[in-house]
Amino acid sequence: MGRSLWGDGVGMIFPRVAQWLGLRDDNKTGRDPIAPPSRDTAVVTNPKQAARIGAVYSAVSILAAAIEQLGVVLERDGVRIEDTTFIRNPDPDLLDRSDWLHQVVTSLAYSGNAYLRVWRDNTGQGSVARVLNPGRVWPFEDQHGRILYSYNGRDYTREEITHLRLHKVPGEILGLGPIQAARAEVAGHRDLTEASTAWVRESGQPSGLLSTEQSLTPDQRKELLDSWNKVPAGRTRLMSSGISYEPITLSPKDAQFLESRRFSKTEIMDLFGIPGSLTLGIERGDSQTYANVAQDWLGFVRFRLMRYVIEIESALTSLVPRGQKVRLNVESLLRADAETRFRIHSSAITAGVYSPEYAREIEHIPDTAAPTPKEPTDA
């Protein structure tokens, strides 16, 4: 019998049966469908749950914003060729290609997997690649050893589903994402946030203390408190008869919530590979120069963002004619200031590394902006 992600010996018919019996939830993947879901598992498998964690949302937003800025280049034998309709926008139902890239990156970041429902033209090449909700796709291996993808009650083959995986573990069908790899850290950050919120709301800590040297009867004390609490916060109050008010404050730092949450947020950002300079996370007293920030960004692009870039390039390349290659132009993310860039262009053109036309292409300067050659003049 074949091997399934949710139980050995389960054939391709069992996902439908389990769903019909109510044993399977399409919002959960890669787990025993009979076991009751835990709160931690819901965060790991459900992008909506994960996105409610502020640090996770911020990290994924940075990743998506970076990828959206990239141009997509179609090449043959290392030479750029004209983009096809498919490359310009893989899903015509979306506004543009940046929207498509955003969905792919968020799927990979939240779940470690992205699934493209592919329609092909009469030559077998991709014509549409629609990004599916990763929480509703169920990959499994049937009894013949074929990997199939169950989605909305139907099984699809690898010709119909292109599967992108962020971190590939040998022998596993599913990819591993940051949230799944560090489930304890993500759940701990959520629990810390909920605990601090509950403490503020439910601890019973009074906001202040009214005091007087006079002796008050129970009715006078009740009348004083009632009249005080009736005045909305922030409004002016009049105190008489020797009554004084002293606010009682317990800062988050004194309660160790601030430091704990800052450390927890740093863990989440490190998990996604986001430099502190991109999250305004530089601690007071720390010093970062322009060079340090530039190195942070360079390392982020080369060693973190490229994992997403390579996966997207490979998926798109598999859907174009043989001999063609799709490349995401990451040079735009590594751009120096204008003066430095044009000095580099000048040196490269002089040394014959590339042409002025290629420099204009890098800078997105149209050919019409090229200078007109000067006519020779008679001496």
Side-chain angles (χ1 to χ4, degrees):
M1 295 293 289
R3 174 176 56 84
S4 168
L5 287 179
W6 47 280
D8 291 333
V10 179
M12 60 184 294
I13 193 64
F14 277 76
R16 294 198 187 108
V17 175
Q19 185 176 2
W20 181 72
L21 292 175
L23 300 177
R24 173 185 167 192
D25 185 350
D26 276 335
N27 289 326
K28 301 181 285 296
T29 61
R31 293 188 287 110
D32 183 350
I34 300 177
S38 66
R39 294 176 71 248
D40 292 352
T41 303
V43 171
V44 170
T45 60
N46 191 330
K48 289 184 179 180
Q49 292 286 341
R52 290 172 184 164
I53 300 175
V56 173
Y57 177 85
S58 297
V60 176
S61 296
I62 291 172
L63 291 168
I67 294 291
E68 286 180 37
Q69 300 177 50
L70 303 183
V72 179
V73 178
L74 184 61
E75 298 178 343
R76 181 188 291 116
D77 299 326
V79 179
R80 181 172 181 176
I81 60 177
E82 185 178 356
D83 292 345
T84 62
T85 302
F86 173 70
I87 293 300
R88 286 192 289 271
N89 189 1
D91 185 355
D93 285 350
L94 298 179
L95 183 62
D96 53 27
R97 187 173 59 203
S98 65
D99 195 0
W100 185 87
L101 289 171
H102 181 99
Q103 291 190 12
V104 174
V105 172
T106 53
S107 293
L108 288 170
Y110 281 126
S111 69
N113 300 271
Y115 304 95
L116 308 179
R117 170 67 175 98
V118 177
W119 285 267
R120 300 178 184 271
D121 58 23
N122 54 8
T123 66
Q125 310 306 318
S127 58
V128 175
R130 184 155 300 149
V131 185
L132 303 180
N133 182 342
R136 302 183 66 182
V137 180
W138 195 289
F140 65 96
E141 187 175 302
D142 72 359
Q143 62 268 32
H144 303 293
R146 299 178 304 173
I147 295 178
L148 301 175
Y149 298 88
S150 179
Y151 176 72
N152 282 353
R154 176 185 166 186
D155 295 336
Y156 295 88
T157 67
R158 282 183 161 181
E159 289 294 312
E160 300 168 300
I161 298 287
T162 296
H163 184 185
L164 291 73
R165 296 183 293 167
L166 190 61
H167 184 71
K168 304 172 183 179
V169 179
E172 295 293 333
I173 301 176
L174 282 174
L176 188 64
I179 298 174
Q180 293 74 33
R183 172 175 167 177
E185 287 85 348
V186 175
H189 180 82
R190 178 209 55 204
D191 291 343
L192 180 61
T193 302
E194 292 180 355
S196 61
T197 302
W199 186 89
V200 172
R201 293 178 177 177
E202 302 170 6
S203 65
Q205 178 74 26
S207 60
L209 179 66
L210 289 173
S211 61
T212 179
E213 295 182 357
Q214 300 182 29
S215 177
L216 301 177
T217 65
D219 290 340
Q220 289 175 322
R221 288 198 296 268
K222 183 178 184 303
E223 181 181 356
L224 175 60
L225 288 175
D226 289 344
S227 62
W228 180 272
N229 291 327
K230 285 180 180 178
V231 180
R235 300 292 296 275
T236 302
R237 289 179 169 88
L238 176 63
M239 295 185 294
S240 60
S241 303
I243 298 174
S244 61
Y245 174 76
E246 180 181 357
I248 298 177
T249 59
L250 185 60
S251 68
K253 188 170 184 178
D254 291 337
Q256 296 184 349
F257 286 137
L258 186 61
E259 294 297 331
S260 297
R261 293 188 65 180
R262 180 182 292 122
F263 176 75
S264 182
K265 179 179 179 180
T266 301
E267 280 190 312
I268 299 295
M269 290 299 174
D270 287 345
L271 182 63
F272 284 91
I274 308 298
S277 56
L278 293 182
T279 64
L280 303 178
I282 302 174
E283 300 294 335
R284 184 175 298 178
D286 290 351
S287 61
Q288 285 206 337
T289 64
Y290 175 83
N292 289 340
V293 172
Q295 288 299 315
D296 278 352
W297 179 249
L298 182 63
F300 167 66
V301 173
R302 286 182 174 176
F303 304 110
R304 294 292 185 156
L305 205 63
M306 284 303 295
R307 180 80 281 278
Y308 297 85
V309 170
I310 292 172
E311 198 66 14
I312 295 172
E313 288 178 339
S314 299
L316 289 176
T317 298
S318 70
L319 300 175
V320 299
R322 187 182 299 274
Q324 296 183 9
K325 181 179 181 180
V326 179
R327 183 173 60 84
L328 272 63
N329 187 1
V330 298
E331 284 81 2
S332 59
L333 297 179
L334 303 174
R335 293 164 66 90
D337 59 89
E339 181 180 355
T340 301
R341 294 199 314 273
F342 280 91
R343 187 169 61 249
I344 293 173
H345 291 323
S346 177
S347 299
I349 293 169
T350 302
V353 176
Y354 53 73
S355 65
E357 291 75 19
Y358 184 73
R360 287 196 297 273
E361 181 180 327
I362 294 175
E363 296 294 333
H364 302 288
I365 299 175
D367 291 341
T368 55
T372 303
K374 295 182 179 180
E375 295 292 337
T377 57
D378 296 332

